[in-house]
Amino acid sequence: QRRRVNVHPSDEHGSDDSGILNEGILLLVFESIKWDLQVLCLTASVNRKLRAIAKRLLWRKLCVFRAPCMVAALANGAPNGKIGGGWDALAKLMFFCSGCESTRHFIVSRAIPGHFTRASRFSKTSGRSFLAKRCRGDLLFVSDPCEHPMGDKEDDLGIFRGVFRGFMRSKTRAWLLRRQVPFDERVRCPYCGTRVWSMTAARLVPKSAARRLGSGDRRLEYFVCVNGHLHGACWLVPLSSDEEVCDDGEGDVDGDDDDVNEDHGGYDEVDGDACSHQTVTNGSTSSLGEDVLGGGPIDLLLNL
């Protein structure tokens, strides 16, 4: 009789359970390197299995590590759950400036390509300035504009981005649907690829948004996609030496104090850390903002 060779179960499917495909090992590795963005991009691009693990687990862990306060607010205190558009799209939004091309309501002399940002700062108090009065119950985080010089004869271009909490149940989405505002025919969300509404065409751009950005009235445009991702651009007004940027505590032009957090004076305190301007970073926290160690290959994150 032929002797049967005993094969250990782990040997039969070793490629599925060992080494780089082991989720426990992956978590330990990325924790040890503090969730390095470039390494995660490279890992997710190796093969289909790693891409699936990154989409299901690793991008969520990176978002929680890099922006714990913002993620806790967006996920309603349940960071293990789902989020509109997926955690990979949120990670891309945190680190990637979408660039800018001319649109129907906003013309630029030359297109600006998308790129990784070295530092990003997201604020829910800034987000309130982007909400029309009828939509003030929504929660929106918006970044400071990424500044792009356009030449001696033009103002600098500011490109910004943001994200809604629970957009499917938001007042902003309900108003867009109730008024039957059509989707923009040319623009798609640079973070999840879905269709977008032009808030300019919908007449949902409050004057406080321009003031918050340091721009002029009617000199900006932004879009919101079906998953609640926001992206847009504005012309930045040059500041003279005796001018100051408006303070976070200023009231809105229509008389509503939309920029002040009544409980914390404009700051969202979480575990003692001021997170009104929660920044996407390498994990450290600061009330004034934190540096992003970006600079990975753009095409990797574009394909996520």
Side-chain angles (χ1 to χ4, degrees):
Q1 294 180 352
R2 184 177 299 176
R3 180 177 297 176
R4 184 175 180 178
V5 178
N6 293 325
V7 180
H8 194 276
S10 62
D11 295 334
E12 294 180 345
H13 305 287
S15 61
D16 293 335
D17 299 320
S18 63
I20 196 171
L21 290 178
N22 185 292
E23 293 182 8
I25 293 176
L26 280 173
L27 290 175
L28 290 174
V29 169
F30 280 106
E31 287 173 2
S32 69
I33 61 176
K34 300 186 183 300
W35 294 95
D36 184 274
L37 175 65
Q38 184 173 356
V39 175
L40 183 46
C41 287
L42 291 168
T43 301
S45 67
V46 170
N47 57 41
R48 199 167 41 179
K49 290 183 178 180
L50 282 172
R51 186 185 183 97
I53 294 174
K55 189 175 182 66
R56 176 173 51 82
L57 177 66
L58 300 181
W59 288 119
R60 171 170 57 83
K61 292 289 188 179
L62 178 141
C63 291
V64 172
F65 181 83
R66 292 295 185 94
C69 297
M70 186 170 78
V71 168
L74 291 173
N76 276 323
N80 292 331
K82 295 182 179 180
I83 196 165
W87 292 99
D88 51 340
L90 178 61
K92 184 174 182 179
L93 184 142
M94 287 180 175
F95 294 98
F96 189 74
C97 170
S98 61
C100 179
E101 295 182 354
S102 293
T103 63
R104 176 183 176 186
H105 300 285
F106 193 86
I107 306 298
V108 293
S109 58
R110 59 183 174 88
I112 301 296
H115 62 93
F116 276 97
T117 56
R118 294 190 61 84
S120 298
R121 186 169 64 176
F122 289 83
S123 168
K124 68 180 182 181
T125 52
S126 292
R128 292 183 183 181
S129 300
F130 287 76
L131 297 173
K133 186 184 295 186
R134 60 178 65 87
C135 303
R136 292 287 165 83
D138 295 343
L139 177 60
L140 170 64
F141 285 87
V142 174
S143 73
D144 288 347
C146 179
E147 300 184 14
H148 296 264
M150 297 295 285
D152 296 336
K153 297 182 179 180
E154 294 184 271
D155 292 337
D156 289 349
L157 181 69
I159 302 173
F160 53 94
R161 58 205 191 275
V163 57
F164 280 82
R165 179 179 70 182
F167 186 68
M168 291 295 292
R169 301 180 300 276
S170 67
K171 294 182 179 180
T172 300
R173 179 179 180 272
W175 193 92
L176 289 166
L177 295 178
R178 186 167 58 249
R179 296 295 297 271
Q180 298 183 343
V181 178
F183 290 116
D184 191 279
E185 296 180 356
R186 297 178 55 190
V187 180
R188 290 273 178 166
C189 177
Y191 301 107
C192 64
T194 57
R195 305 190 72 178
V196 301
W197 289 283
S198 167
M199 304 305 277
T200 302
R203 299 182 179 180
L204 275 180
V205 179
K207 293 181 179 179
S208 54
R211 190 197 68 221
R212 174 68 65 178
L213 292 167
S215 181
D217 188 24
R218 303 180 186 277
R219 302 188 74 214
L220 74 156
E221 181 175 33
Y222 55 93
F223 302 87
V224 175
C225 80
V226 297
N227 287 317
H229 303 137
L230 178 152
H231 76 281
C234 65
W235 294 110
L236 300 173
V237 176
L239 296 179
S240 61
S241 59
D242 58 346
E243 288 179 317
E244 296 180 356
V245 178
C246 64
D247 183 76
D248 278 350
E250 278 191 50
D252 194 4
V253 292
D254 61 7
D256 290 336
D257 188 8
D258 78 5
D259 296 331
V260 177
N261 184 310
E262 294 83 356
D263 296 329
H264 306 298
Y267 289 90
D268 177 20
E269 300 283 349
V270 180
D271 294 332
D273 293 322
C275 298
S276 172
H277 294 293
Q278 176 63 43
T279 306
V280 183
T281 68
N282 59 4
S284 61
T285 57
S286 167
S287 61
L288 296 179
E290 306 158 333
D291 293 333
V292 176
L293 301 179
I298 292 178
D299 57 338
L300 291 176
L301 197 54
L302 282 173
N303 293 327
L304 295 175

PDB file of all heavy atoms in Angstrom, residues 53 90 99 145 156 208 236:
ATOM      1  N   ILE A  53      -7.448  43.740   1.081  1.00  0.00           N
ATOM      2  CA  ILE A  53      -7.177  43.910   2.512  1.00  0.00           C
ATOM      3  C   ILE A  53      -7.039  45.390   2.849  1.00  0.00           C
ATOM      4  O   ILE A  53      -7.553  45.867   3.858  1.00  0.00           O
ATOM      5  CB  ILE A  53      -5.907  43.141   2.913  1.00  0.00           C
ATOM      6  CG1 ILE A  53      -6.129  41.634   2.772  1.00  0.00           C
ATOM      7  CG2 ILE A  53      -5.505  43.477   4.345  1.00  0.00           C
ATOM      8  CD1 ILE A  53      -4.880  40.799   3.011  1.00  0.00           C
ATOM      9  N   LEU A  90     -11.690  58.417   1.621  1.00  0.00           N
ATOM     10  CA  LEU A  90     -11.433  59.405   2.671  1.00  0.00           C
ATOM     11  C   LEU A  90      -9.936  59.626   2.841  1.00  0.00           C
ATOM     12  O   LEU A  90      -9.483  60.767   3.012  1.00  0.00           O
ATOM     13  CB  LEU A  90     -12.055  58.943   3.989  1.00  0.00           C
ATOM     14  CG  LEU A  90     -11.824  59.870   5.182  1.00  0.00           C
ATOM     15  CD1 LEU A  90     -12.429  61.252   4.926  1.00  0.00           C
ATOM     16  CD2 LEU A  90     -12.396  59.263   6.462  1.00  0.00           C
ATOM     17  N   GLY A  99      -6.403  69.354  -7.606  1.00  0.00           N
ATOM     18  CA  GLY A  99      -6.092  70.162  -8.777  1.00  0.00           C
ATOM     19  C   GLY A  99      -7.318  70.927  -9.258  1.00  0.00           C
ATOM     20  O   GLY A  99      -8.373  70.913  -8.624  1.00  0.00           O
ATOM     21  N   PRO A 145      -7.275  76.240   2.076  1.00  0.00           N
ATOM     22  CA  PRO A 145      -6.951  76.133   0.642  1.00  0.00           C
ATOM     23  C   PRO A 145      -5.479  75.855   0.404  1.00  0.00           C
ATOM     24  O   PRO A 145      -4.605  76.397   1.082  1.00  0.00           O
ATOM     25  CB  PRO A 145      -7.372  77.504   0.089  1.00  0.00           C
ATOM     26  CG  PRO A 145      -7.389  78.418   1.268  1.00  0.00           C
ATOM     27  CD  PRO A 145      -7.752  77.578   2.453  1.00  0.00           C
ATOM     28  N   ASP A 156      -3.470  84.397  -6.642  1.00  0.00           N
ATOM     29  CA  ASP A 156      -3.174  82.995  -6.383  1.00  0.00           C
ATOM     30  C   ASP A 156      -4.473  82.187  -6.381  1.00  0.00           C
ATOM     31  O   ASP A 156      -5.547  82.680  -6.006  1.00  0.00           O
ATOM     32  CB  ASP A 156      -2.473  82.835  -5.030  1.00  0.00           C
ATOM     33  CG  ASP A 156      -1.046  83.359  -5.057  1.00  0.00           C
ATOM     34  OD1 ASP A 156      -0.542  83.651  -6.158  1.00  0.00           O
ATOM     35  OD2 ASP A 156      -0.442  83.477  -3.973  1.00  0.00           O
ATOM     36  N   SER A 208     -20.321  83.625   3.502  1.00  0.00           N
ATOM     37  CA  SER A 208     -19.331  83.331   4.538  1.00  0.00           C
ATOM     38  C   SER A 208     -18.238  82.387   4.035  1.00  0.00           C
ATOM     39  O   SER A 208     -17.132  82.370   4.570  1.00  0.00           O
ATOM     40  CB  SER A 208     -20.021  82.719   5.765  1.00  0.00           C
ATOM     41  OG  SER A 208     -20.804  81.596   5.392  1.00  0.00           O
ATOM     42  N   LEU A 236      -7.691  83.810  -4.384  1.00  0.00           N
ATOM     43  CA  LEU A 236      -7.320  84.324  -3.071  1.00  0.00           C
ATOM     44  C   LEU A 236      -6.973  85.800  -3.164  1.00  0.00           C
ATOM     45  O   LEU A 236      -6.164  86.210  -3.991  1.00  0.00           O
ATOM     46  CB  LEU A 236      -6.130  83.539  -2.512  1.00  0.00           C
ATOM     47  CG  LEU A 236      -6.370  82.038  -2.330  1.00  0.00           C
ATOM     48  CD1 LEU A 236      -5.073  81.339  -1.935  1.00  0.00           C
ATOM     49  CD2 LEU A 236      -7.449  81.787  -1.289  1.00  0.00           C
TER      50      LEU A 236
END
